[in-house]
Amino acid sequence: MFGQHPGELYRLRSQSSAPGADLHNVVPPSPYSPNAENGPIEEGLPSTAATTTAVPSREDSVASEIEGTWGERDIGGPVTHRMAMDDYEAMRRELTQLSQTQSRASKKSSRPTFFRTQTSQSRASKRSRLRQRRLSSDSTRADDLEAGDAEGMAEKEEEFELGGFMREGHFERRTEEGQSAKKVGVVFKNLTVKGTGSTTVTAKTLPDAILGTFGPDLYRLVSGFLPALKRYNASETRTLINDFTGVVRDREMMLVLGRPGSGCSSFLKAVANKRSEFASVTGDVTYGGISASEQNKHYLGEVIYNPEDDQHFPSLNVWQTLKFSLMNKTKKRHQSEIKVIVDALLKMFGISHTSRTLVGNEYVRGISGGERKRVSIAETLATKSTVVCWDNSTRGLDSSTALDYANSLRIMTDVSNRTTLVTLYQAGEGIYELMDKVLVIDEGRMMYQGPANEAKQYFIDLGFHCPDRQTTADFLTSVTDPIQRVYREGFELSAPKTPADFERVFKNSEAYSKVLADVADYEAYLQNTKFQDTQQFRQSVQEQKSKTVSKKSSFTVSLWRQVLACTAREFWLVWGDKPTLYTKFFIIVSNGLIVGSLFYNQPNSTEGAFSRGGAIFFSIVFLGWLQLTELMKAVSGRVVIARHKEYAFYRPSAVSLARVLADFPLLLIQVIIFGLIMYFMTNLDVDVSKFFIYELFIYITTICTTALYRMFAALSPTIDDAVRFSGTAFNLLAIFTGYVIAKPELLNQKIWFGWLYYVNPIAYSFEGVLTNEFAGRVMDCAPSQLVPQGSGIQSGYQGCAVSGAQVGSTSLTGEDYLGTTYEYTRSNLWRNFGVIIAYTVLYILITVLGTELFQFIKGGGGAIVFKKGAKKNVTSGSKGADAEKGNEPVDGRVSNGQLRTEKDGAAIPQTASSDEIFTWTNVEYSVPYEGSQRKLLNNVHGYAKPGVMIALMGASGAGKTTLLNTLSQRQTMGIVSGEMLVDGRRLSKEFQRITGFVEQQDVHDGTATIREAIEFSAILRQERHISKQDKLAYVEEIIDLLELGEIQDALISSLGVEQRKRVTIGVELAAKPSLLFLDEPTSGLDSQSAYSIIRFLRKLAHAGHGLICTIHQPSSLLIQQFDMILALNPGGNTFYFGPVGENGAAVNSYFSKRGVVCPPQKNIAEFILETAIKGGKRADGKRLNWNEEWKSSQENKDLLTEIQRINSERSAKPPAKAKSNTVQYAYASPLWLQTTTLTRRMFTQHWRDPSYYYGKLFVAVIIGIFNGFTFYKLGRTVADLQDRMFTSFLIVIIPPTVVNAVVPKFYTNLALWLARENPSRIYNWFAFSTASVVTEIPISIISSVIYWLLWYWPTGLPTDSSSAGYVFLMTLLFFLFQASWGQWICAFAPSFTVISNVLPFFFVMFSLFNGVVRPYSQLSVFWKYWMYYLNPSTYWIGGVMAATLPSVNVECASREAAYFNPPSNQTCAQYAGDFVAQAGRGYLINPNDISNCGYCPYATGVEYMATLNVVPSDKWNYMGIFMAFC
């Protein structure tokens, strides 16, 4: 039914003999039935004689090419009558059976059939009859159909139908009369909405970010948590909605019209009680007498706002998405109906074939945009809400699909007694006629409100002219535009001009009096009925809730069931993203093997004591570090979670708790796998109890760390903040665990930050696992650690050089080792376990509170942002930004009655450089598909001449964009065949440069201003012999032509949709292209903006350009601007290429010859699309195949003849380049100019997007401070010697944070280059690479200086110029290295997903295989001889140690020495002196004593360096090698 043309509904309504019959409840004819257009419609309806076919019919065939989907017939499986009826009957029987076992209300709503006529209340019937008279008055609509025969109609009645299903009552509670039990109207009185901020602001730069850290930014952060601190000055607010009063009753639909930024979305949000983003909302909004505050507290999901963007979890499939929504809106005893209702929803919206397909988004491949829109509608239907506000929900849909969408809204409104408000851009006449009321807004002021069928005449009476073939919605919107409004003769002076004038005139009019009377009438109706509808609404809402839910709660099911539903969804999300899941387990296994091999088969002697601590430390922290990926998941889902909260599906806290529940099994599997690998590879104690305690601690610690990350995510406004805080916190927790710096030293000596040990859950875990491993262990002293050794040494007079060893003992217990070295005891094992659990619970509680209290979702857009120092020329009369749309400045000039006549005569820059003609013949394009080739274009012919505009049209999936990409030489995969010529010659290497391609997505560097973007294109794309002055002068002309002068210094990222589109066109025009390709230039625009763009393109055509433009929803006015139409059917088959003609005469002539006639008032563009979709029949009844009709037509033969003539005549003439002796270049500008210009742009980008540079400075400052003051004023003990090494080593914790910032920035710029700037041949890869590297140098230098100053001097490292200078240079090189390293990783990876998955591998290898964590002598043979030497950090750490350690003379602390007793009558020196001399390292602490001799293992730093395979004389070699890595 959703593919039904509205004309059928209109005719059925006008001819129905049933009194008060509702148009939208009449069962429509099936478009798939045989002979659907012939014969009587149904019993009781007069037959209609067959006439000339207006909208072609379908022919019945089991193998029909027409497929049963909603608006997109090219997707899904074939629909047969028997299959559809079998599915329908099964569903009906199951629903009926279920309903008979449930409540009395459900029993009463069980009817023998879905298809019955609903008896309407008198008020609804009156409105229905008004619509009937309005619709039946359009005689041309009635003629759009042929009459159908009885057999066809009978089959149509059996088709699944939305209205009938909803009336059954299975989906919502209904009264005994069959009416919806929930129906409330909306009354808004004196509604005024104010937004924050001005209409223009200045771009925030790096200095602003730095200075604002402890000032304005800190205030904004704190006030975000504590809204009471927010203060708004009058100058900081602007009026978005000004004093609106009106009513929308139940079963009414109101269309809200206005240009982008006029206040439409703000009005819908205010009505939907979505007020958090506004500075203030005054006035009253009531819902059937229920106040806004009460609605927000107790009926949250009954009034909802549906944004224009279809935001869903992309890794859920369609079935899961809908089932989840019903799980949270269905009581427990009705859960058995969920599956049946989901199947019903899929069928009624024609998306059953997508049930197991991922929903997807712009990054994840899934269902199409039209199908995603239907999923949004079905999800909204599942909310069972009463008042629904739809914001521009037809964006991106073709006209046929948009009409289907509007029809579905109409049916839901009528059958469920819903109150519907909708704002639509480019609404066709068919959509407009479905509306009851219309509200026209401009600059937040109400220009008109009232019946939709009276609005047009109201503005005509005011003195405005509606051009022929302009839709009513377009006319009403055009009145709000001072440039495009047209006055009737004699009304130029008297008609209102400004929004304030319109508001004043309207409020003094009879129309406004009717509005006030309507409000009073509805309020009187509520009073007279004693709020019967409201009471019934309250009762119905309460009956829908589970028994365990409070009466005051807005939710249907209990918190526990919300958590269970969200937990199920978490598992669906994980399983839906299998590549990430598999990659994660691959990383766990591979890195487990890598880290395990690093500590492979550790000895059981004292030689393995310290390294066991390392193995246990990395066992604890590795999985927690890997869980950083949860941040993106936690932040990216906010939009969906916020919407679901408004839909009253669940509390946000339910998601937080559900993620914890989902973690239990998922992390358990990860921990078991990783733990098994690590435990047995590293030769930990093979004891079953120790193994399970090891696994238990790793498990709970990983859960705790994950909870910590989610806590930061819940408290962070953006993902950048979450990553920065989480990464820094994790690094600090790792440092203060007690492994890098032992607990005694940390608490007794590191007075600055030692206290962090007590608030560190990882520290408690480390103590627990380490004491568990060493419990009961007795370690023999390793031969290398026995002192003294050599000839003359007696075995009974030796000591062990390990902390905790007793005097003269050659073995050591684990308890003694841990007690002396770490001050750990196993008696704290379960205390430590409890502390970790306590921290986990604390983090979870904070996360739950954070998700409930703080909402960081903002409604996009806002004020226009100008660069610093720019003159903001936006006129004071320019309207402000709609709170979520972005600002749309308006030219304040007054129209003189013509469409921009003051500009029409302006000189158009001669941008076309030649009169070359582009032709293409037999163009085919195939892509790999399931092991074979799938053809997307099939023998397409055509040509593009200078001055000619070609509209490329077709249904969704027909191949329009594919053809555009193929003709413009932008395909990067697949097989292209056919002949594409310019003037009969093969395409030159400069073809892509001399042609312009306007992409649909408007891809730009968002930090550039309009002028900068156009200048960048002109300087690099125009011929190199043109001077820079001439290029810039041409830019002035382009800016003037595009009417962007007032906002030329505005940042592109802050512009509205229509402004960005003009910038995109300007960037391409700056190259002076001879041919311009445009992909959907009007998509997402309102009708007036779309007309402005197309009319501007018409100017370009007059200037000599050839234009090929795909277009989705062209109105009659738009299509008349084009000269020719190239129409495609699915599969890339041409079914028409030729002129449009006056009012579509040429198109109509072609199709009328084949028996299909376009009605006089019908939009010729819609006629073409419907003709392609619905097919048609010849006079003899045979089905028309439009693809074959075109191939065999005389028009196609004439086209091929014309192409042949063009090629032969043009090829005979010498090419223009040959005449001018101009050398052809792939890139117009020389390499040096490309590099310098791009470098300048990238510097500007980083300056105006301060988060990138600021993040680097933030990390340098924080890590520098903690590193410097944690190791403050290091001494000369052995522990201090180790700390000197570790303080240098800790620089390796910076790259994970910095590289994670470098990668997305570089990837964004790379994507821009690959998507637009390289195909346009603006600059090459060398310029891009050079600019990317050069722009990293200044911030790397500054960051390195800051880090070095904050780290080096506080630690007390050598201050002589040689050492300090060397370390500074190495620090500088390190910061340069990490930037280039991140870019290198990003450049070689094929996708962002691959990049994020391989980064942990690089970080692990970089951090561990450098001789610090595991000394070189203890590395396994596999790693020792290649990875150690390939690791850049080996040379950095070696060089810094070579510069800082040689001058250190070690002074052992008492507990660091090895103690032994010499034989009687010998001094320590006499007994062990030869050993010390032979060992070549260490010294005796008390050489003259005769007992308790102490041996210090190191005398100087050089001796310590030798154990790390570092030689002081190699420090310059280290620098040279590390520099090579940079």
Side-chain angles (χ1 to χ4, degrees), residues 766-820:
F766 182 67
E767 178 182 356
V769 180
L770 198 62
T771 55
N772 172 68
E773 169 62 22
F774 281 91
R777 177 182 288 275
V778 177
M779 299 175 287
D780 293 330
C781 190
S784 61
Q785 294 176 326
L786 279 173
V787 293
Q789 298 183 37
S791 59
I793 302 301
Q794 302 177 28
S795 61
Y797 299 94
Q798 290 178 303
C800 192
V802 177
S803 177
Q806 300 299 317
V807 176
S809 175
T810 57
S811 64
L812 177 66
T813 65
E815 289 81 357
D816 288 341
Y817 171 71
L818 294 183
T820 304

Side-chain angles (χ1 to χ4, degrees), residues 1169-1186:
L1169 290 175
E1170 292 168 5
T1171 300
I1173 291 171
K1174 297 188 177 182
K1177 293 181 180 178
R1178 299 179 183 276
D1180 56 7
K1182 291 185 178 180
R1183 180 181 174 82
L1184 283 168
N1185 185 319
W1186 290 112

Side-chain angles (χ1 to χ4, degrees), residues 1377-1394:
F1377 160 76
Q1378 62 184 355
S1380 61
W1381 186 36
Q1383 293 177 348
W1384 172 80
I1385 295 173
C1386 190
F1388 96 91
S1391 70
F1392 194 78
T1393 303
V1394 172

Side-chain angles (χ1 to χ4, degrees), residues 807-858:
V807 176
S809 175
T810 57
S811 64
L812 177 66
T813 65
E815 289 81 357
D816 288 341
Y817 171 71
L818 294 183
T820 304
T821 307
Y822 298 101
E823 296 183 0
Y824 288 167
T825 173
R826 194 177 188 278
S827 61
N828 292 333
L829 178 70
W830 298 113
R831 181 212 70 178
N832 294 333
F833 184 75
V835 171
I836 300 169
I837 292 178
Y839 274 113
T840 304
V841 172
L842 175 64
Y843 297 153
I844 293 173
L845 288 177
I846 295 175
T847 304
V848 167
L849 291 174
T851 53
E852 289 288 342
L853 298 177
F854 308 134
Q855 181 175 335
F856 299 107
I857 301 299
K858 297 180 180 179

Side-chain angles (χ1 to χ4, degrees), residues 91 94-95 98 165 336-345:
M91 181 191 62
E94 191 169 355
L95 277 175
L98 287 170
F165 171 73
S336 56
E337 284 191 357
I338 289 178
K339 181 182 182 302
V340 183
I341 296 176
V342 170
D343 291 338
L345 288 171

Side-chain angles (χ1 to χ4, degrees), residues 1032-1088:
L1032 296 181
Y1034 183 74
V1035 168
E1036 292 288 350
E1037 296 182 34
I1038 294 295
I1039 291 175
D1040 183 62
L1041 178 67
L1042 291 165
E1043 299 169 0
L1044 293 169
E1046 292 184 345
I1047 55 172
Q1048 59 182 307
D1049 290 325
L1051 270 57
I1052 295 175
S1053 59
S1054 67
L1055 300 179
V1057 177
E1058 188 261 349
Q1059 293 164 326
R1060 285 198 303 270
K1061 185 62 65 180
R1062 279 191 279 162
V1063 172
T1064 304
I1065 295 173
V1067 166
E1068 295 303 317
L1069 288 179
K1072 291 191 174 181
S1074 57
L1075 179 62
L1076 196 59
F1077 300 94
L1078 302 101
D1079 188 13
E1080 299 290 352
T1082 62
S1083 181
L1085 303 180
D1086 66 298
S1087 56
Q1088 301 309 307

Side-chain angles (χ1 to χ4, degrees), residues 138 455 965 1080:
D138 189 350
N965 286 326
E1080 299 290 352

Side-chain angles (χ1 to χ4, degrees), residues 704 732-738 741-765 767 822-824 828 831-832 834-840 842-843:
C704 181
L732 295 178
L733 292 181
I735 293 173
F736 295 98
T737 296
I741 310 172
K743 176 183 175 182
E745 184 183 0
L746 199 60
L747 298 181
N748 299 327
Q749 300 179 28
K750 311 302 178 185
I751 58 174
W752 291 94
F753 301 112
W755 56 271
L756 288 174
Y757 176 87
Y758 291 110
V759 295
N760 185 353
I762 298 179
Y764 294 96
S765 179
E767 178 182 356
Y822 298 101
E823 296 183 0
Y824 288 167
N828 292 333
R831 181 212 70 178
N832 294 333
V835 171
I836 300 169
I837 292 178
Y839 274 113
T840 304
L842 175 64
Y843 297 153

